[in-house]
Amino acid sequence: MRLRALLETDALGLRLLGGEDELDRTVRGVMTTDLRDPSRYLSGGELVLTGLAWRREPADSERFVRILTAAGVAGLAAGEAEIASTPDDLIEACARHRMPLFSVNEKVSFASITEHVVRQVSGERAGDLAAVVDRHRRLMTGGPAGGGPEVVLDLLGSDLDLRAWLLSPTGRQIAGSSLADAGPGLPAAAGAALAGEHLAASRTGRRGPHRVTVAGSTYSLFPIRSSGRAASARDVRETVLSDWLLAVEADAGEWPEERLDLLHGVTQLIAVERDRRDAARTVRRRLAQEVLELVQAGAAPAEIAARLRVAAPVLLPGLGTAPHWQVVVARVEWEGGDIPGGPVAQALLEEVLVDPDASGPEPSDRIAVAHTGDEAVALVPLPALLTGAEEPTVPSLHADTLLTAVRDPLAQGLADDGRLTFGVSAAVHSAEGLRGALEEARHARRVAAARPGRVCAAGHQELASHVLLLPFVPDDVRRAFTARLLDPLRDYDRRHRAELIPTLEAFLDCDGSWTRCATRLHLHVNTLRYRVGRIEQLTGRDLSRLEDKLDFFLALRMS
């Protein structure tokens, strides 16, 4: 389509600010960006939409327009939502470089312009095939009931005879085309290999599609660049570990330009779906943040449980309640420390904490992830499975399983300047155990961080491995350690017959559960709290901290 046609569509809210003599330029696609240098994502002929977040001083306009001109961009449209008017320096830079410049009315979203251009370009380039894709666009953007990405991928199969899969950053299949005679689907190992190739290519700045060969088959990998995420990202490392990709079993290098344009249009439609799902996660993130803050502040278990009950319809859609929970802590660290790790780890956990055998995007809707500082914390609900007359079994997440599923592809995205570490807690049966589970997961992550490798994980099972080292601790060190911690309690017990040592042993055996410990000792909970408070007062330790629990555990084992 021509730039001139955009001005003839009143609904787009475009106003020409310069470049009237260049309106016959052909538009081949749309890109939304606020990057200072978006050249790596441009292939020529795009209408670039920008909110001007890249502009910090007047001189930035000249640099930005020069980059667009060198990339062969068709035109530039600046949004008015965050600014009163388009800066004069941008208007002058566009005039110098003969770059057509439009302003976008604040009432018109970039998504509306993108959809219009994709529809028109696809219609002109691919005729009836693009019209079929457009016919189903409303199904994708209308929500899960419309079929989601599966619909448009089925169209690629039925109308273009292309097998295609939408993959997570670790290669888990989110959606795939279903040809009647297509043969077996994409193996899990092939998905992981394709995801790794895509991440490696993204880190080097190569433009998609990326051509790769896996298990004897040739694939073309198209990045799915969410307009909202890409616009806010200053560096590819902020999104690379959580971006989706479209893998097509074909060599795109042999395609005519019309078919390549159609596939780029498909990726933009899928990006709209990704934006919708990201927006839906906003409420779950906020609720997870509130629960995390309560747990970290040492709020009463009843208060945490009440908050979880209120949040259950959002955190556990269709599930009702979760009789068990696990906590997963992750940290992403980049050399130089200029990329905030918390948001990166949060988006990553939302993608990877899904059963690798589960297809579709919906399972991630039950993962509630918050972030604090450079780490992300996930609350993972574990519904119990009833097996006849037996006790319910809880299918918990294991650190080794998680590591196996994500290590190889994510290591390629981390390249030689990033590191990812996970810690996984044991399952806890109620809100009362969440604080201990959080400390356990954090301690496990520190154990993982002590290991070599780009991606490392540790689980709660490994926290007990220190017992194996006790025989090698010198006797004088053991005596000094136990005396410093336990002698004040033994002296107090002798003088007052208070039974602090047995209370401490029972409290640790019950994993810090006040109710279970009080029941075991036949005490009122208030009496138990008094005894634990006396232990903490005499030793200067805090039994809600995992490190202090471990010290007491070791001291009791060595005594």
Side-chain angles (χ1 to χ4, degrees):
M1 68 178 298
R2 307 284 183 180
L3 279 175
R4 189 180 306 280
L6 295 174
L7 286 174
E8 297 170 356
T9 307
D10 294 337
L12 297 183
L14 295 176
R15 182 166 59 91
L16 184 65
L17 300 180
E20 185 173 359
D21 295 336
E22 303 292 331
L23 291 180
D24 285 328
R25 291 186 182 186
T26 300
V27 179
R28 300 184 183 278
V30 184
M31 178 187 180
T32 300
T33 185
D34 275 319
L35 295 174
R36 303 188 74 182
D37 181 5
S39 58
R40 72 176 70 179
Y41 306 123
L42 297 170
S43 56
E46 294 92 351
L47 172 67
V48 172
L49 307 175
T50 180
L52 300 181
W54 48 265
R55 182 184 176 276
R56 299 170 187 171
E57 57 183 5
D60 290 341
S61 294
E62 171 65 20
R63 285 193 295 269
F64 188 75
V65 175
R66 190 188 315 123
I67 289 170
L68 300 190
T69 302
V73 165
L76 175 64
E80 295 180 344
E82 299 292 337
I83 57 173
S85 62
T86 304
D88 290 339
D89 49 88
L90 180 59
I91 296 174
E92 294 166 2
C94 287
R96 280 193 296 273
H97 292 278
R98 303 181 64 83
M99 175 65 65
L101 176 64
F102 304 86
S103 66
V104 182
N105 189 287
E106 63 180 355
K107 296 180 180 179
V108 179
S109 70
F110 284 176
S112 298
I113 298 174
T114 298
E115 292 178 17
H116 176 82
V117 173
V118 169
R119 182 166 63 249
Q120 296 301 318
V121 170
S122 297
E124 294 174 7
R125 289 286 181 183
D128 293 339
L129 291 177
V132 171
V133 172
D134 179 60
R135 187 170 69 240
H136 289 269
R137 173 183 56 83
R138 289 180 296 276
L139 293 178
M140 288 185 57
T141 56
E150 294 278 2
V151 172
V152 74
L153 297 190
D154 281 345
L155 290 172
L156 289 181
S158 60
D159 289 77
L160 292 178
D161 198 29
L162 289 175
R163 301 181 73 204
W165 298 268
L166 180 60
L167 303 178
S168 78
T170 58
R172 184 183 70 86
Q173 181 175 318
I174 298 171
S177 55
S178 55
L179 296 179
D181 57 351
L186 185 70
L194 291 173
E197 294 282 357
H198 165 72
L199 289 171
S202 298
R203 285 303 311 274
T204 61
R206 285 159 45 202
R207 293 181 180 178
H210 311 124
R211 179 185 178 277
V212 300
T213 300
V214 172
S217 297
T218 300
Y219 299 86
S220 295
L221 309 180
F222 294 81
I224 305 296
R225 294 203 168 90
S226 161
S227 58
R229 291 152 56 82
S232 62
R234 298 175 294 115
D235 190 297
V236 66
R237 292 175 294 178
E238 294 183 37
T239 60
V240 67
L241 296 182
S242 54
D243 280 342
W244 290 353
L245 70 140
L246 179 66
V248 181
E249 192 175 19
D251 186 351
E254 301 174 353
W255 287 356
E257 188 176 353
E258 290 81 1
R259 177 168 287 198
L260 200 57
D261 282 350
L262 177 59
L263 262 291
H264 282 302
V266 167
T267 64
Q268 289 176 327
L269 293 179
I270 295 176
V272 172
E273 171 74 358
R274 176 67 190 270
D275 285 341
R276 188 188 68 80
R277 294 189 181 279
D278 282 347
R281 284 176 173 168
T282 302
V283 176
R284 284 200 308 282
R285 285 179 169 184
R286 178 173 57 79
L287 292 174
Q289 197 75 37
E290 292 175 1
V291 173
L292 175 61
E293 289 172 0
L294 286 174
V295 172
Q296 291 189 131
E303 184 179 357
I304 298 172
R307 192 73 194 93
L308 285 173
R309 282 195 298 273
V310 171
V314 176
L315 294 183
L316 308 170
L319 199 61
T321 60
H324 297 82
W325 294 87
Q326 266 183 294
V327 175
V328 178
V329 172
R331 183 184 289 261
V332 176
E333 299 169 289
W334 302 103
E335 290 182 8
D338 55 336
I339 305 297
V344 176
Q346 181 181 44
L348 173 66
L349 282 182
E350 288 172 336
E351 293 299 327
V352 305
L353 288 183
V354 181
D355 185 343
D357 296 327
S359 62
E362 298 305 330
S364 63
D365 290 347
R366 289 185 180 144
I367 306 297
V369 189
H371 73 82
T372 174
D374 284 334
E375 73 176 14
V377 178
L379 301 176
V380 183
L382 301 173
L385 300 179
L386 295 176
T387 54
E390 301 176 2
E391 286 293 317
T393 59
V394 181
S396 59
L397 177 68
H398 292 276
D400 289 344
T401 304
L402 176 62
L403 184 62
T404 300
V406 307
R407 178 175 49 207
D408 291 343
L410 293 185
Q412 297 190 62
L414 292 162
D416 58 357
D417 62 344
R419 191 148 194 263
L420 168 65
T421 50
F422 292 101
V424 182
S425 79
V428 294
H429 68 286
S430 68
E432 190 175 50
L434 280 178
R435 186 175 182 187
L438 175 60
E439 290 297 326
E440 190 173 59
R442 282 177 168 159
H443 190 68
R445 193 208 63 79
R446 287 193 289 269
V447 171
R451 296 170 175 168
R454 287 290 166 192
V455 184
C456 297
H460 63 94
Q461 304 93 334
E462 299 174 68
L463 299 185
S465 61
H466 53 267
V467 176
L468 300 176
L469 303 177
L470 295 185
F472 303 98
V473 178
D475 288 341
D476 55 339
V477 174
R478 296 168 72 176
R479 283 192 296 270
F481 181 78
T482 58
R484 187 170 63 252
L485 270 181
L486 301 183
D487 279 359
L489 305 182
R490 289 172 176 146
D491 291 341
Y492 190 89
D493 280 348
R494 279 195 297 269
R495 294 196 309 270
H496 302 281
R497 297 182 181 178
E499 298 189 76
L500 295 186
I501 292 290
T503 300
L504 175 62
E505 291 175 331
F507 189 72
L508 295 176
D509 285 343
C510 292
D511 299 322
S513 169
W514 297 99
T515 304
R516 284 189 287 139
C517 184
T519 301
R520 176 184 293 190
L521 296 175
H522 306 290
L523 296 174
H524 191 279
V525 171
N526 288 341
T527 304
L528 176 61
R529 291 185 184 278
Y530 172 83
R531 288 188 182 180
V532 170
R534 179 64 68 184
I535 292 171
E536 293 175 334
Q537 182 183 33
L538 291 170
T539 60
R541 300 301 186 102
D542 182 357
L543 275 167
S544 65
R545 298 180 69 248
L546 181 62
E547 291 89 341
D548 288 343
K549 287 180 183 177
L550 279 171
D551 283 348
F552 278 122
F553 177 81
L554 287 170
L556 290 169
R557 281 296 185 96
M558 291 189 292
S559 63

